[in-house]
Amino acid sequence: MSTQDNAKRLAAEAAIAYVKPGTIVGVGTGSTVNYFIDALAALKQDIEGAVSSSEASTARLKSHGIPVYDLNGAGDIDVYVDGADEINRHLQMIKGGGGALTREKIVAAVAKTFVCIADTSKEVDMLGTFPLPVEVIPMARSYVAREIVKLGGDPVYREGVTTDNGNIILDVYNLHIDEPIALEGKLNQITGVVTNGLFAARGADVALLSDGQQVITRT
Ligand code: 5RP
């Protein structure tokens, strides 16, 4: 296993401490979360089940025999565990590298506590080196791209990708994200945008970051 994969695994396993017995756990998407799902399998008798942020995570949860519930019937979610493409010191993130940003943002909104798990390479001083994913209704693609250019970004259509919600992704380069909450709001105001990958208004509550040797907790 590479050092980075080992770091992801350590961060993911540390998140198990935040899972309360008898609850439905919110589960994100990505390679770091896959380690969390694998670790959660050992606890499956102790939890009620999970709500999932993607078809990929749902399939992995089910392959371990963990029941997956519809969010609408799940009630309160105590904890949501997910990765990030970038995270700053305020625990604001860019997410959506795996294209699951909309469902991730919905489960994060419901959850009482958002635990971000990542290797330390995801820590940044300023968000925006990683291109910001924006999920867009397909017919609005060109319009939204032109509006994003007006905001100073360079949108690139993620070729061949359809999200779990049937939409497309624009990856936006060269944004100057010095005010993440304001930019998150501005992007959401563009007609045709479903969600953008800035998780700033609702960031993480806890970050578990690992370099492969130890896990650092940030709050
Ligand atoms: C998926 C995400 C992931 O959390 C993010 O891309 C990090 O993925 P990984 O754990 O594979 O590095 O937002 O939409």
Side-chain angles (χ1 to χ4, degrees):
M1 186 184 288
S2 73
T3 307
Q4 189 181 26
D5 282 339
N6 196 43
K8 290 179 180 192
R9 184 182 60 77
L10 283 179
E13 289 175 359
I16 291 294
Y18 291 82
V19 173
K20 292 193 185 139
T23 60
I24 295 178
V25 182
V27 175
T29 298
S31 57
T32 315
V33 165
N34 284 344
Y35 288 115
F36 175 72
I37 294 172
D38 296 349
L40 196 61
L43 293 187
K44 70 179 174 197
Q45 309 303 340
D46 303 328
I47 60 168
E48 195 173 331
V51 292
S52 168
S53 61
S54 64
E55 300 300 331
S57 288
T58 297
R60 198 174 186 100
L61 286 158
K62 287 185 173 170
S63 77
H64 283 300
I66 299 172
V68 179
Y69 295 99
D70 185 319
L71 181 65
N72 290 305
D76 293 339
I77 301 297
D78 185 63
V79 69
Y80 176 60
V81 178
D82 200 357
D85 298 302
E86 286 183 347
I87 182 162
N88 69 16
R89 67 180 188 284
H90 304 296
L91 308 192
Q92 299 167 323
M93 295 157 284
I94 285 183
K95 292 183 43 55
L101 60 160
T102 297
R103 295 188 188 188
E104 291 174 341
K105 211 172 246 196
I106 293 167
V107 186
V110 174
K112 207 165 103 193
T113 303
F114 183 150
V115 178
C116 176
I117 51 175
D119 65 89
T120 47
S121 72
K122 306 291 183 66
E123 278 192 294
V124 295
D125 289 331
M126 194 183 208
L127 299 172
T129 302
F130 190 92
L132 180 66
V134 180
E135 180 165 354
V136 177
I137 300 287
M139 71 174 285
R141 187 184 81 207
S142 298
Y143 169 71
V144 170
R146 289 195 296 274
E147 292 300 305
I148 287 173
V149 169
K150 289 182 196 165
L151 293 176
D154 295 324
V156 174
Y157 174 41
R158 200 182 291 183
E159 296 274 355
V161 170
T162 303
T163 69
D164 286 348
N165 312 306
N167 298 313
I168 63 102
I169 301 273
L170 295 174
D171 291 305
V172 186
Y173 291 77
N174 301 322
L175 283 167
H176 184 70
I177 312 182
D178 55 352
E179 293 185 34
I181 294 175
L183 182 61
E184 182 178 0
K186 271 187 203 164
L187 288 166
N188 284 342
Q189 289 304 317
I190 302 173
T191 303
V193 167
V194 179
T195 325
N196 70 82
L198 271 170
F199 284 55
R202 200 280 184 258
D205 302 295
V206 179
L208 301 173
L209 305 168
S210 178
D211 58 2
Q213 302 290 323
Q214 57 179 347
V215 179
I216 301 154
T217 304
R218 295 209 200 289
T219 54

